[in-house]
Amino acid sequence: MAGQIECSRRTVLRFAWSGMVAVGALSVKPLVDYLTSKEDQPRTSLVAYEKSLVEKTDWQHVPNSRVWVMRDDQGIAALVATCTHLGCEVTYHPERKQWLCPCHGSIYDTDGRPVEGPAPKALPRAAVERKADGSLIINTEKQVGLDARL
Amino acid sequence: MKDNFVNHLRPRFISDRALSVYYTFCLGGLSFLAFLMLGITGILLMFHYQPGTSSGFSSVLTIGSVIPYGSVIRNLHYWSAQLMVVTVNLHMVRVVWTHSYKPPKQLNWLVGVGLLVLVLVLDFTGYLLIGSQESGAAATVAANLLKQIPGLGTALAQIALGEPTALSGSTLIVYVWHCVALPLAAFWLQLYHFWRIRRDGGVRPL
């Protein structure tokens, strides 16, 4: 026969408290992981442009993105319209042939080179690929030079 | 003031017989514990769940597969809900068994019936929010049942369920009922339910 276990109410309550504290401490990391997870947000660097852009054209905005595409004599180029100063979205003004940043007044020329304001670098260009059906896929993660064309 | 409030949460005395586990089996307490668990896990699920006939099911799948610890939280929510429906029903059986519905506790019996309905509707709306094909079928049946009510039926179905499709019962309207309106109602009604027990003389064999 086992001896009787001494177990006062205080012991039981203390045991329960430490159990709760332990569970609380152990669930901090899972909770932070869960709450900060961005897995369910669509996160693709690929932007699709439905038109095939056969004719020469000035910068065209790709809907629901920051990407603009154009075609000149050399071919198709894509530009990401994020200001190189602090990341605001810049817009192309075709009548001025310039990119304007609404935040701090940076101005870029039509190729995206900085002309005025605090912007330190040219607007980034992204790689363009053509799919089988003729539409374009722009990979915003893949930066290319100013002269790169498709 | 703090001491005063905390001390008022406790009764001045509890009879030995009221502490007997075999009298109530603590089924109401278990139900409340499940309810608290459902509240906590439910708030957590709201951070990643997206209601809507097209987004509901896929966000449930995402929570269950790629979100870290998402499946633990969802399963805790799901199983707490199943447990609560079981314990609430057993609690009702116990109350009938021990004749605890009789005066002076007749009002608390009615409150309990209201809570039972709330819990069942919460369980049902939770099932709809999964957004699976089964939930679409269930929502369609519920909407058609409500529409049988002459005059008010169509409006009632719209207020209760929105416009679920046959393929998914997850709508914004069901979401609001399930996550805000019904839990709040159930919570306050439960507090009243517990207060009434004390008011009617506490847990004791009549």
Side-chain angles (χ1 to χ4, degrees):
Chain A
M1 291 291 273
Q4 213 168 5
I5 302 164
E6 282 296 321
C7 207
S8 67
R9 171 181 297 213
R10 181 161 302 201
T11 321
V12 172
L13 285 177
R14 191 165 289 163
F15 191 70
W17 264 117
S18 24
M20 277 165 73
V21 170
V23 167
L26 283 175
S27 53
V28 168
K29 191 189 177 290
L31 274 181
V32 170
D33 283 357
Y34 175 82
L35 290 176
T36 55
S37 171
K38 294 197 179 78
E39 296 276 353
D40 52 352
Q41 281 161 22
R43 192 179 30 166
T44 173
S45 54
L46 299 180
V47 174
Y49 188 63
E50 299 303 329
K51 293 168 209 153
S52 53
L53 220 64
V54 239
E55 279 168 31
K56 237 172 81 168
T57 161
D58 206 357
W59 292 105
Q60 302 290 320
H61 187 221
V62 182
N64 302 319
S65 77
R66 283 195 174 192
V67 174
W68 295 64
V69 289
M70 66 97 159
R71 187 188 185 103
D72 58 10
D73 296 327
Q74 285 88 49
I76 299 170
L79 177 147
V80 182
T82 297
C83 186
T84 54
H85 174 221
L86 287 176
C88 292
E89 181 169 2
V90 297
T91 31
Y92 185 65
H93 292 248
E95 71 284 354
R96 298 174 57 167
K97 297 260 172 209
Q98 278 177 331
W99 298 87
L100 303 184
C101 179
C103 294
H104 304 98
S106 292
I107 300 174
Y108 304 84
D109 68 8
T110 179
D111 287 325
R113 293 188 203 88
V115 181
E116 229 184 281
K121 287 188 299 187
L123 293 169
R125 297 293 181 96
V128 190
E129 276 168 48
R130 194 181 285 285
K131 286 206 303 188
D133 62 357
S135 69
L136 301 174
I137 289 285
I138 298 107
N139 186 352
T140 53
E141 298 238 303
K142 199 168 156 195
Q143 271 208 37
V144 294
L146 275 181
D147 307 321
R149 296 288 189 275
L150 173 73
Chain B
M1 199 207 104
K2 198 185 118 206
D3 281 350
N4 204 332
F5 177 71
V6 173
N7 287 336
H8 270 82
L9 285 176
R10 301 178 167 281
R12 284 195 299 135
F13 60 86
I14 303 171
S15 73
D16 278 352
R17 298 174 76 187
L19 287 175
S20 162
V21 176
Y22 298 111
Y23 185 66
T24 63
F25 297 96
C26 205
L27 287 163
L30 281 175
S31 308
F32 186 57
L33 183 69
F35 184 77
L36 291 181
M37 196 67 202
L38 285 162
I40 295 167
T41 54
I43 287 173
L44 288 174
L45 286 174
M46 284 172 79
F47 283 105
H48 283 293
Y49 179 76
Q50 289 167 345
T53 46
S54 58
S55 53
F57 188 59
S58 65
S59 70
V60 168
L61 285 186
T62 311
I63 290 171
S65 54
V66 299
I67 306 285
Y69 304 97
S71 69
V72 180
I73 290 165
R74 171 157 135 71
N75 273 294
L76 279 174
H77 194 78
Y78 179 84
W79 289 108
S80 301
Q82 308 304 309
L83 176 81
M84 190 174 179
V85 171
V86 171
T87 53
V88 158
N89 278 287
L90 290 177
H91 175 61
M92 184 184 68
V93 170
R94 192 280 297 175
V95 167
V96 173
W97 184 259
T98 60
H99 296 235
S100 301
Y101 54 88
K102 286 180 177 170
K105 297 182 172 177
Q106 69 275 53
L107 176 59
N108 219 12
W109 165 263
L110 290 180
V111 174
V113 171
L115 278 168
L116 175 69
V117 172
L118 274 177
V119 167
L120 293 179
V121 175
L122 273 163
D123 199 56
F124 180 70
T125 49
Y127 182 69
L128 296 188
L129 285 181
I130 298 172
S132 60
Q133 284 192 28
E134 292 87 344
S135 82
T140 311
V141 171
N144 285 338
L145 279 173
L146 285 174
K147 282 175 190 162
Q148 293 299 311
I149 302 169
L152 292 170
T154 316
L156 213 56
Q158 171 73 35
I159 291 168
L161 300 162
E163 281 179 8
T165 65
L167 293 175
S168 170
S170 170
T171 65
L172 187 62
I173 285 165
V174 174
Y175 179 70
V176 172
W177 282 118
H178 182 81
C179 301
V180 185
L182 295 175
L184 270 182
F187 182 68
W188 289 111
L189 210 55
Q190 278 173 77
L191 292 190
Y192 181 64
H193 197 59
F194 305 153
W195 178 73
R196 251 335 312 161
I197 298 170
R198 185 94 50 87
R199 194 73 209 270
D200 295 336
V203 179
R204 49 157 179 151
L206 283 166

